[in-house]
Amino acid sequence: MMKVYEHLRHAWRYLGGLIAAILLLFQFQGCAEVPITHRKGLHLVPETELLSMSLQQYDEVLKTSKLSTDTQRVEMVRRVGNRIAKAAEAFLAEIGQQNKIKNYKWEFNLIEDNKTVNAWVMPGGRAAVYTGILPYTQNETGLAVVLGHEVGHALADHGNERMSDALVAQMGGMALSVALSSQTQQTQQLFMTVYGAGATVGFLLPYSRLHESEADRIGLTLMARAGYDPRQAIPFWERMNKQEGKSRPPQFLSTHPAPETRIADIKNYLPEALPYYQRSLK
Ligand SMILES: [Zn+2]
């Protein structure tokens, strides 16, 4: 009897070691730090897979959407987008995380769709702005709030984290193998629910409050570095919130739920961002 017990204990210790080793590997491969907040999130989907999915989806979106022919507006979207992108590159280089976006190829397109109040940036830097959000952004600075926030989600790898959390929740132990085998239907499906890029997707996964506040914080810094007044984020979100509940909430708000504390949080983050804006004016 004693011997069996010894065996079991031995096996248990061996198994424990194995699990620890796997967890360590997991942590090493699957976690990356969020800029500014230094939080570590779970990132199970390999970057190469995420980028190829986003490329594929982006092509599909461009093919099936009507691109705006209003050159002035299109140029404005690209100008703001590229300034935010440059600020993101400079910011990451400064904190030694430039590798995070080394495979990015920024692209900003304006989609003619007045009913869609939305904008997003996919991993890899492909972005879309829908004309429906322009009445809320009102000007270049307002658009910089939106694109700064969206690029903030991308830099923080929130897409990968949402997919990873959903994978773990849905498939438990199978998550890792599913995520690692490339281009599976499940991961592709998840990508669509996270980015809402496909026209047929009915269910969109909203960002969590934590992700929202991280994207706000990173976004304020990016827009300020790009030379846009970050204080304008407050009136933008006020315009957005006023619209909520009037009829159907805009798509942008259903994927970016506004915490009641958003405006207060933004006021707290402003002292961190404002000096960059003031420096840009000199
Ligand atoms: Zn958001």
Side-chain angles (χ1 to χ4, degrees):
M1 192 61 203
M2 199 60 201
K3 214 163 180 183
V4 173
Y5 177 68
E6 274 297 312
H7 269 303
L8 270 175
R9 216 170 58 164
H10 212 73
W12 186 242
R13 204 179 290 158
Y14 174 72
L15 198 69
L18 194 70
I19 290 171
I22 291 171
L23 282 179
L24 206 70
L25 186 79
F26 222 79
Q27 222 172 19
F28 178 69
Q29 287 206 323
C31 288
E33 204 178 276
V34 174
I36 297 191
T37 67
H38 305 293
R39 187 179 60 82
K40 285 198 168 69
L42 189 62
H43 301 130
L44 295 179
V45 187
E47 201 208 7
T48 46
E49 193 183 341
L50 205 58
L51 293 190
S52 84
M53 272 190 291
S54 95
L55 202 65
Q56 211 177 312
Q57 288 304 321
Y58 195 66
D59 278 349
E60 190 63 31
V61 170
L62 293 191
K63 247 191 273 162
T64 52
S65 311
K66 186 171 175 267
L67 290 176
S68 171
T69 50
D70 183 334
T71 43
Q72 230 174 343
R73 285 173 133 191
V74 173
E75 270 166 27
M76 175 186 73
V77 166
R78 297 206 169 129
R79 186 167 54 242
V80 176
N82 287 322
R83 274 169 71 169
I84 296 284
K86 262 217 178 85
E89 282 163 9
F91 167 54
L92 288 190
E94 217 173 282
I95 58 171
Q97 291 192 28
Q98 59 270 50
N99 270 351
K100 227 182 227 311
I101 53 170
K102 69 173 189 296
N103 295 320
Y104 269 49
K105 255 189 94 187
W106 301 100
E107 199 177 321
F108 297 88
N109 281 299
L110 179 62
I111 292 171
E112 185 70 50
D113 180 353
N114 291 331
K115 287 208 177 83
T116 301
V117 182
N118 207 4
W120 41 254
V121 176
M122 285 179 177
R126 269 80 171 182
V129 173
Y130 294 79
T131 52
I133 204 168
L134 297 181
Y136 297 91
T137 56
Q138 287 184 353
N139 52 40
E140 250 182 73
T141 306
L143 191 57
V145 176
V146 170
L147 288 177
H149 179 95
E150 289 306 310
V151 170
H153 277 305
L155 297 192
D157 282 324
H158 287 158
N160 200 338
E161 196 178 348
R162 287 194 294 164
M163 289 176 74
S164 303
D165 289 346
L167 277 168
V168 170
Q170 281 179 10
M171 287 167 266
M174 269 189 36
L176 191 60
S177 59
V178 171
L180 292 180
S181 61
S182 72
Q183 300 284 330
T184 61
Q185 237 181 338
Q186 285 99 320
T187 37
Q188 218 151 6
Q189 200 76 43
L190 265 174
F191 186 88
M192 312 261 280
T193 64
V194 164
Y195 286 97
T200 51
V201 179
F203 168 72
L204 288 178
L205 212 55
Y207 284 102
S208 69
R209 287 173 175 221
L210 180 70
H211 286 177
E212 279 307 282
S213 103
E214 277 184 349
D216 280 337
R217 193 170 164 191
I218 298 170
L220 288 174
T221 289
L222 293 181
M223 74 180 287
R225 281 170 176 261
Y228 298 106
D229 187 348
R231 287 168 292 199
Q232 291 302 313
I234 295 171
F236 165 76
W237 284 108
E238 280 170 352
R239 287 196 292 277
M240 208 70 195
N241 290 344
K242 223 184 275 170
Q243 201 51 40
E244 190 183 22
K246 264 196 185 164
S247 53
R248 213 159 45 92
Q251 295 86 338
F252 190 69
L253 278 184
S254 58
T255 45
H256 303 263
E260 300 82 60
T261 56
R262 166 144 21 221
I263 304 278
D265 289 346
I266 287 176
K267 283 181 183 157
N268 277 333
Y269 301 145
L270 274 177
E272 186 177 68
L274 214 46
Y276 291 108
Y277 173 62
Q278 280 148 353
R279 224 170 293 161
S280 80
L281 295 177
K282 283 180 190 147

